[in-house]
Amino acid sequence: MTSEPRYSVRPIRNLKDMLAQSVRLYGENNAFLLKDDNNNYRGVKYKEYNSDIEGLGTALINLGLKDKYIAVIGENRYEWTVSYLAVVNGTGVVVPLDKDLPLQELQNLLERSGASAVIFSGKLENEFRKVQASVPSVKYFINMDSEEDDGSFLSYRRLIEKGKQLVQAGDTSFIDAEIDDEAMSILLFTSGTTDLAKGVMLSHKNICSNIMAVCSSLYIDDKDSALSILPLHHTYECTCGFLVMIYNGCTISFIEGLRHIVKNMQETKPSIIMAVPLILEGMYKKIWDKVSKNPVHKYKLKAAVAISDFLYHVLKIDIRKKLFKQIHDNFGGRLRLVISGAAAIDPKALKGLRSFGLNVLQGYGLTECSPIVTVNREEAHINSSIGLPLPGVEVQLADIGPDGVGELIVKGDNVMLGYFKNEAATQKVMKDGWFYTGDLGRLDEKGFFYITGRKKNVIVTKNGKNIFPEEVETYLNRSPYIQESLVWGKYDQITGETFVNAQIYPDIEAIKQKLKTNEVSQEDIHRIISAEIKAVNHSMPLYKHVRGFTIRENEFAKTTTKKIKRYAEKVG
């Protein structure tokens, strides 16, 4: 099934066409709002942005990089976005890489991609001194922050200057470059939670179809501004937090780090953000933690939520922004749309944020789908659902079991070309034009989809019952004394049964507050977590009960979108 568009959108053939249209329509608008070294913000207009892209693209072609693979790596910043479009809009294939990769993995992906050049943040200069000696296939290293070429690295700024001079002298090699809409133009290495990185091949058509589908489902216009929080190398932020905003003539700003989200929101006053559950659940928890220190304040907030919910849902009177003005002001005062993706958000936190008047909508996507597949709508949403399919994207369930759960499969122009140099892996997930996601879910009578778990993670009991670890983890993580959990099935050789077990990363500070002490013993931690697990077990059927658990001292290894890397954890 698919859905009908709610908003009309202007057609775009490719990202070059998109940028040209946006420059024509919004040329004098600020495309970016950037903080300088003196903590002052300055605007960069769409015309100026386009000029930088044309300059860098022309310089890259002049270096002999036409049709080559070019990696881009660094924190979220203006230069990253210029580099991305300078490569993809007429130079070659862009390869966005994770700035937090270990050196060996970075070298591995540069070699696997066959990158001829890499454009990198100056913060990574030391790492690339080492890479330069070990990856001879990379011919050019371009430093976003160096003022001058230094013999080993080229200066990004000098390249743009040279490119602009070439354009003024009549060089139109980049400006007139033809785009093959259906050829691979983007190579993205997945940060999977259950497997090692695969290279996903995407085209302009893939990305542009997704941009138009998202914008036909959610209202965004040139009065909107976005704060870019999630890593740009991840396709969720790249498509939705960057390219969708450029398509609509919005203004983009960048966070200075996760610790500075609230400060940066107050400074830039965004109307839209893309987020992951860990961030949103953390925001919700902080609000309640703050008021819980004073019983009177806690009671007042609970009463305010109850009154507001009644007025909004029963009488259709919306006083949320006025009633919870302090919360809205804390997030800049203009926030009107928050998209949560990359993992399932706790429906309780989502409902709570919406009760405060924050319009949080949950969506679902995968790198292989450019990435958005489904999203809730402002006028039609269910807190526990991943929403409705995007217009032009077909979603079905395959191999549906007696419990109504099947594997989500996707078809549409947004679906990838395949995995890079891995035909076997491609054939495993692509069948008759359908992409088999590996995610299990169900469909309700209204057409809303729900994710129940990952196919690879399902625990199957002796009686053939399916247990989804993600569901049990959601229950466990609601405890104020549990920060994170990882659930798996442990096989008992004596009984032949598979029992649910869990690794728990406790919230030590919350446990200290409960016990009113500055020191807690392992026995204290075990006793409190044991009580929490018993309480969770009471809310689930017997076969789902957590039978054993271990306490861990450090948080779990995670992907850049804050999902636990299951394959990296030794369980059993």
Side-chain angles (χ1 to χ4, degrees):
M1 64 171 296
T2 185
S3 62
E4 293 300 314
R6 179 168 173 80
Y7 303 103
S8 59
V9 295
R10 70 178 199 272
I12 51 172
R13 300 187 313 277
N14 51 57
L15 294 175
K16 188 166 192 167
D17 178 36
M18 177 199 79
L19 182 62
Q21 289 189 36
S22 291
V23 171
R24 188 173 68 251
L25 292 167
Y26 314 114
E28 294 302 322
N29 289 16
N30 281 334
F32 294 89
L33 198 60
L34 307 177
K35 188 181 254 191
D36 62 23
D37 294 336
N38 297 317
N39 286 328
N40 297 316
Y41 281 91
R42 70 174 183 88
V44 177
K45 297 185 186 300
Y46 272 83
K47 285 183 178 177
E48 184 183 343
Y49 180 49
N50 185 55
S51 176
D52 285 349
I53 291 167
E54 289 180 351
L56 183 58
T58 303
L60 293 173
I61 291 175
N62 186 252
L63 287 174
L65 291 170
K66 179 68 177 174
D67 298 327
K68 303 295 185 184
Y69 290 73
I70 301 173
V72 179
I73 181 167
E75 67 277 15
N76 287 15
R77 55 188 291 176
Y78 174 75
E79 293 82 1
W80 194 102
T81 71
V82 171
S83 300
Y84 181 96
L85 289 177
V87 175
V88 83
N89 278 358
T91 302
V93 175
V94 69
V95 187
L97 293 176
D98 181 356
K99 68 178 175 59
D100 295 322
L101 285 172
L103 184 62
Q104 188 174 353
E105 181 65 4
L106 176 58
Q107 292 171 341
N108 173 39
L109 294 184
L110 287 171
E111 287 173 348
R112 281 178 60 188
S113 66
S116 297
V118 58
I119 307 172
F120 63 91
S121 164
K123 292 179 180 179
L124 301 170
E125 183 174 337
N126 291 336
E127 285 82 348
F128 278 101
R129 296 282 177 198
K130 297 170 187 172
V131 169
Q132 192 173 37
S134 60
V135 188
S137 57
V138 179
K139 189 175 179 182
Y140 294 108
F141 292 83
I142 302 162
N143 189 333
M144 294 178 187
D145 294 299
S146 63
E147 295 291 340
E148 303 291 342
D149 301 344
D150 68 2
S152 297
F153 296 161
L154 297 178
S155 164
Y156 163 93
R157 292 174 196 177
R158 291 288 169 262
L159 271 182
I160 287 186
E161 287 176 8
K162 183 178 181 181
K164 287 181 178 180
Q165 290 169 2
L166 289 168
V167 170
Q168 287 177 351
D171 187 336
T172 59
S173 57
F174 177 81
I175 294 169
D176 293 341
E178 292 290 325
I179 303 296
D180 184 340
D181 303 347
E182 300 190 22
M184 175 181 62
S185 297
I186 303 114
L187 176 58
L188 290 154
F189 287 97
T190 62
S191 54
T193 60
T194 58
D195 207 346
L196 298 177
K198 289 192 282 283
V200 175
M201 301 187 292
L202 297 178
S203 66
H204 281 262
K205 183 178 179 181
N206 290 148
I207 298 289
C208 290
S209 72
N210 211 234
I211 291 169
M212 290 184 286
V214 167
C215 296
S216 70
S217 304
L218 302 171
Y219 184 77
I220 302 169
D221 66 22
D222 63 330
K223 296 179 184 66
D224 280 308
S225 60
L227 180 64
S228 180
I229 296 172
L230 304 176
L232 275 167
H233 76 269
H234 194 280
T235 186
Y236 171 34
E237 181 66 21
C238 188
T239 296
C240 300
F242 164 37
L243 298 172
V244 161
M245 301 305 154
I246 296 297
Y247 172 85
N248 285 291
C250 306
T251 303
I252 302 170
S253 303
F254 303 103
I255 63 161
E256 297 170 277
L258 290 176
R259 295 192 314 275
H260 303 291
I261 288 178
V262 172
K263 181 189 78 165
N264 291 154
M265 288 181 80
Q266 290 171 355
E267 291 171 342
T268 62
K269 304 185 186 319
S271 58
I272 300 173
I273 61 169
M274 307 296 144
V276 292
L278 194 69
I279 292 171
L280 296 174
E281 289 165 2
M283 287 178 173
Y284 181 66
K285 185 174 183 293
K286 279 182 182 175
I287 292 168
W288 282 106
D289 283 350
K290 189 174 181 181
V291 297
S292 294
K293 292 175 183 176
N294 185 318
V296 176
H297 291 167
K298 185 177 180 180
Y299 173 78
K300 282 183 177 179
L301 185 58
K302 280 188 171 182
V305 168
I307 293 166
S308 174
D309 280 351
F310 174 78
L311 290 172
Y312 183 69
H313 295 294
V314 179
L315 302 180
K316 307 303 179 189
I317 299 171
D318 190 357
I319 61 167
R320 294 173 300 171
K321 285 194 175 180
K322 288 183 180 178
L323 194 59
F324 304 111
K325 184 177 185 298
Q326 190 175 345
I327 292 172
H328 284 265
D329 287 348
N330 204 38
F331 299 136
R334 292 185 64 240
L335 195 60
R336 69 167 191 84
L337 179 62
V338 181
I339 305 299
S340 176
I345 187 171
D346 182 351
K348 181 182 175 184
L350 197 153
K351 180 179 182 295
L353 290 168
R354 291 187 66 85
S355 290
F356 293 145
L358 295 168
N359 184 28
V360 183
L361 299 174
Q362 182 169 209
Y364 163 78
L366 307 97
T367 302
E368 290 89 342
C369 296
S370 305
I372 308 301
V373 174
T374 65
V375 71
N376 279 276
R377 312 297 201 266
E378 294 175 59
E379 73 287 352
H381 54 82
I382 297 174
N383 293 332
S384 57
S385 168
I386 57 170
L388 304 165
L390 290 181
V393 179
E394 291 184 67
V395 185
Q396 291 184 12
L397 296 177
D399 304 320
I400 301 172
D403 56 358
V405 172
E407 182 177 0
L408 269 78
I409 60 174
V410 183
K411 181 188 277 189
D413 287 342
N414 61 317
V415 173
M416 68 170 180
L417 303 173
Y419 290 121
F420 185 62
K421 296 180 180 178
N422 196 340
E423 186 59 32
T426 301
Q427 289 182 4
K428 197 173 178 181
V429 298
M430 295 297 300
K431 299 167 189 174
D432 299 322
W434 290 91
F435 171 66
Y436 283 66
T437 66
D439 287 317
L440 297 173
R442 60 183 178 83
L443 176 67
D444 70 13
E445 65 280 355
K446 294 179 181 177
F448 284 80
F449 283 88
Y450 302 77
I451 293 291
T452 55
R454 190 83 183 135
K455 194 174 180 181
K456 290 182 180 179
N457 302 340
V458 176
I459 301 166
V460 183
T461 69
K462 190 177 178 180
N463 296 331
K465 288 185 178 292
N466 289 339
I467 303 167
F468 303 108
E470 296 88 349
E471 179 190 359
V472 181
E473 288 161 6
T474 298
Y475 281 109
L476 290 171
N477 294 346
R478 286 177 181 169
S479 164
Y481 311 112
I482 296 174
Q483 284 204 51
E484 299 172 345
S485 62
L486 179 68
V487 168
W488 81 97
K490 188 173 184 179
Y491 181 72
D492 187 303
Q493 291 185 332
I494 297 172
T495 63
E497 184 57 279
T498 301
F499 294 109
V500 177
N501 273 249
Q503 269 193 41
I504 305 293
Y505 177 48
D507 189 329
I508 300 298
E509 290 305 312
I511 292 173
K512 284 179 181 177
Q513 286 181 20
K514 177 180 173 64
L515 299 177
K516 297 179 180 176
T517 178
N518 290 324
E519 297 291 333
V520 290
S521 65
Q522 288 300 312
E523 290 76 17
D524 289 332
I525 297 169
H526 196 279
R527 175 170 50 82
I528 287 173
I529 298 301
S530 182
E532 292 299 299
I533 287 175
K534 281 181 183 176
V536 166
N537 283 344
H538 282 309
S539 63
M540 297 188 299
L542 184 64
Y543 70 92
K544 293 183 181 179
H545 281 195
V546 178
R547 301 302 180 93
F549 70 93
T550 55
I551 303 291
R552 60 183 289 137
E553 294 182 359
N554 301 310
E555 62 180 272
F556 294 94
K558 297 185 190 70
T559 68
T560 51
T561 49
K562 306 303 178 187
K563 290 185 283 189
I564 292 172
K565 293 183 177 180
R566 291 179 182 270
Y567 67 84
E569 300 298 333
K570 302 243 187 291
V571 295

